[in-house]
Amino acid sequence: MKTIVTHIGMLATPLGRGPRRGRLQGQIQTLRDAWVLMEEGTVAQAGTGPAPGADQTIDARDRLVTPGLVDSHTHLIFGGWRQHELGMKLRGASYLDILAQGGGILSTVSATRAASQEELEDKAEKALDEMLSLGTTTCEAKSGYGLDVDTELKQLRAIRELDARHPMDLVPTFLGAHAIPAEHREDRAGYLRLLCQEAIPAVAAQGLARFCDVFCETGAFTAEESRIVLEAGKAHGLIPKIHADEIDPTGGSVLAGEVGAISAEHLIVCPPEGIASMARGGTVACLLPATSLYLGAPFAPARDMIGAGVPVALASDFNPGSCPCLDLQLVMTLGCLRYRLVPEEVLTAVTLNAAAAIGMAEQAGSLEPGKQADLVIWDAPDLDYLCYRMGSDLARTVIKKGRIVSSSD
Ligand code: IZC
Ligand code: ZN
């Protein structure tokens, strides 16, 4: 069956099957009065002028169409919420203070251990529905709230189930190295052994994750510990990712390039040598501006990264602590206002570069023949308008693999 989207006022998409860096990050294709022909869930052709025939027509009514957005960093699966931390922060406690007191991530660990796999799936499904309605069609999802083998596997199985039953494509990441669990507080080496000798082999043997991530941060894991975990993951076929230089510069971005991480995340206080290392290692910088906003923290040096040839992706960081926000439309506006990226660079950051950050650039992230027909019709005449209307949801029709999966027209 052929479906065509006609009367597209502006079709805006990056092009390619890998990340776009430097000047190329801002070079996208924009077509006026365009159409996209879809067949068997993939893009058959995109063009301008008279549209070819099809079995079914979707009229975009002169509005903007982009690829479906890709959220390359979420902590989707968790028990409970942490709204009580808002007041603690307002009274002066920092994110790391709360973690050091046994709260923060560790309180979500308790709630996640107590939840059944089904409860975790049902809760995450609501978030996925909301993400889809806001224009996200592919997302990464991390474990990291189990910190024991059984609960980490429970989280990853929940991701696998949701990928099977929900229109969203989910890409799983193992984040057992998210914090030291309370029972290992006096035995860090023991927890590292559990990660490297039990958890990683089990995750890999069951095919439950593509990536291995670590929270390299004061109060979490040192750069040396992070290297041990990421190398153990690599030995089992898990590609490295790393939460680096979010609060303190502890060497994570330098390590990212050295271990050939596919992406490094946050990078708020990334030093110049970290940017150089990522450029050498081909690492995508996955920046999370809603987290900076939520933590009252500075914003990552995105322009320096683009200038150094590091591909920049933007993601939500959806999680119950430092960023309870899953709206990539807000992230796009923050990308312009706080990173000083232009709308064309921002679009690449939430589509093709985000797809590259999670190994999905062959299938997703741009609208061109052979890729998945994942696209959004926006209530916007052009890309500038989408980036500028902060706080309004402009997603009207969301199409996943050629099928309408969300509509508010
Ligand atoms: O639950 O606080 N930064 N991990 C690293 C997080 C934020 C998630 C959380
Ligand atoms: Zn994160």
Side-chain angles (χ1 to χ4, degrees):
M1 173 152 116
K2 291 183 183 176
T3 303
I4 190 159
V5 182
T6 59
H7 299 115
I8 299 172
M10 176 188 275
L11 177 66
T13 180
L15 294 175
R17 286 178 150 73
R20 301 197 39 107
R21 43 176 64 81
R23 236 177 357 92
L24 297 181
Q25 171 144 9
Q27 286 181 9
I28 63 167
Q29 182 186 66
T30 52
L31 300 177
R32 296 277 181 180
D33 189 21
W35 46 264
V36 176
L37 181 67
M38 308 180 285
E39 194 172 1
E40 308 303 336
T42 62
V43 175
Q45 217 185 331
T48 57
D55 307 299
Q56 191 194 353
T57 301
I58 299 168
D59 189 338
R61 306 208 317 265
D62 282 326
R63 291 172 297 178
L64 171 72
V65 168
T66 69
L69 307 182
V70 177
D71 196 339
S72 52
H73 185 134
T74 85
H75 301 253
L76 177 72
I77 308 290
F78 53 87
W81 291 93
R82 306 215 303 259
Q83 64 271 39
H84 60 280
E85 289 180 8
L86 179 59
M88 294 169 78
K89 284 178 189 152
L90 295 174
R91 286 187 290 275
S94 74
Y95 177 85
L96 290 182
D97 292 339
I98 297 169
L99 177 60
Q101 289 160 20
I105 295 169
L106 295 177
S107 67
T108 301
V109 168
S110 303
T112 306
R113 286 179 178 178
S116 68
Q117 183 182 326
E118 197 184 4
E119 286 165 341
L120 293 176
E121 286 172 23
D122 290 348
K123 181 175 160 76
E125 191 163 23
K126 290 203 187 75
L128 289 175
D129 290 344
E130 197 183 342
M131 290 161 73
L132 201 66
S133 78
L134 290 166
T136 300
T137 51
T138 299
C139 80
E140 185 255 14
K142 301 177 196 298
S143 67
Y145 293 122
L147 311 187
D148 62 35
V149 177
D150 286 350
T151 314
E152 290 290 318
L153 293 176
K154 177 173 75 179
Q155 283 194 278
L156 292 170
R157 282 196 306 269
I159 295 169
R160 187 175 60 188
E161 288 305 312
L162 289 166
D163 182 45
R165 77 167 187 244
H166 198 277
M168 187 84 68
D169 275 323
L170 282 94
V171 180
T173 297
F174 172 64
L175 178 58
H178 195 188
I180 301 281
E183 63 272 18
H184 279 94
R185 183 174 289 225
E186 307 305 328
D187 181 24
R188 300 177 70 87
Y191 188 60
L192 286 173
R193 272 197 305 280
L194 181 142
L195 285 174
C196 298
Q197 294 174 18
E198 294 178 48
I200 287 172
V203 167
Q206 296 178 42
L208 282 169
R210 281 171 73 171
F211 304 105
C212 179
D213 196 347
V214 42
F215 188 20
C216 181
E217 186 59 68
T218 305
F221 294 86
T222 66
E224 298 85 272
E225 292 167 338
S226 300
R227 187 190 296 274
I228 291 168
V229 173
L230 295 178
E231 290 294 350
K234 268 167 88 169
H236 285 85
L238 301 178
I239 299 164
K241 277 182 174 284
I242 180 167
H243 284 66
D245 300 336
E246 177 184 357
I247 297 162
D248 294 324
T250 62
S253 50
V254 172
L255 178 63
E258 288 174 358
V259 299
I262 192 166
S263 69
E265 333 284 308
H266 288 291
L267 303 167
I268 291 173
V269 289
C270 180
E273 60 269 27
I275 296 179
S277 178
M278 289 191 293
R280 278 194 300 276
T283 301
V284 177
C286 180
L287 308 183
L288 311 166
T291 306
S292 285
L293 180 73
Y294 200 79
L295 291 178
F299 286 77
R303 284 250 66 93
D304 293 348
M305 292 169 186
I306 289 182
V310 175
V312 169
L314 302 183
S316 72
D317 193 23
F318 176 57
N319 75 73
S322 61
C323 192
C325 168
L326 44 67
D327 180 3
L328 283 181
Q329 295 176 53
L330 175 63
V331 165
M332 292 174 78
T333 303
L334 290 173
C336 293
L337 298 179
R338 304 311 304 262
Y339 293 147
R340 316 303 292 180
L341 303 190
V342 296
E344 291 78 8
E345 291 169 326
V346 163
L347 182 69
T348 301
V350 291
T351 56
L352 187 56
N353 282 4
I358 56 172
M360 292 291 283
E362 288 286 338
Q363 304 94 298
S366 65
L367 291 171
E368 53 193 306
K371 286 222 186 174
Q372 283 175 191
D374 300 350
L375 56 93
V376 183
I377 303 173
W378 303 95
D379 185 13
D382 56 33
L383 180 62
D384 288 345
Y385 188 91
L386 174 59
C387 290
Y388 132 96
R389 280 296 310 277
M390 182 169 81
S392 291
D393 172 20
L394 302 182
R396 287 297 169 268
T397 301
V398 181
I399 296 173
K400 179 70 186 177
K401 294 180 182 154
R403 211 166 52 81
I404 295 177
V405 290
S406 172
S407 178
S408 56
D409 242 349

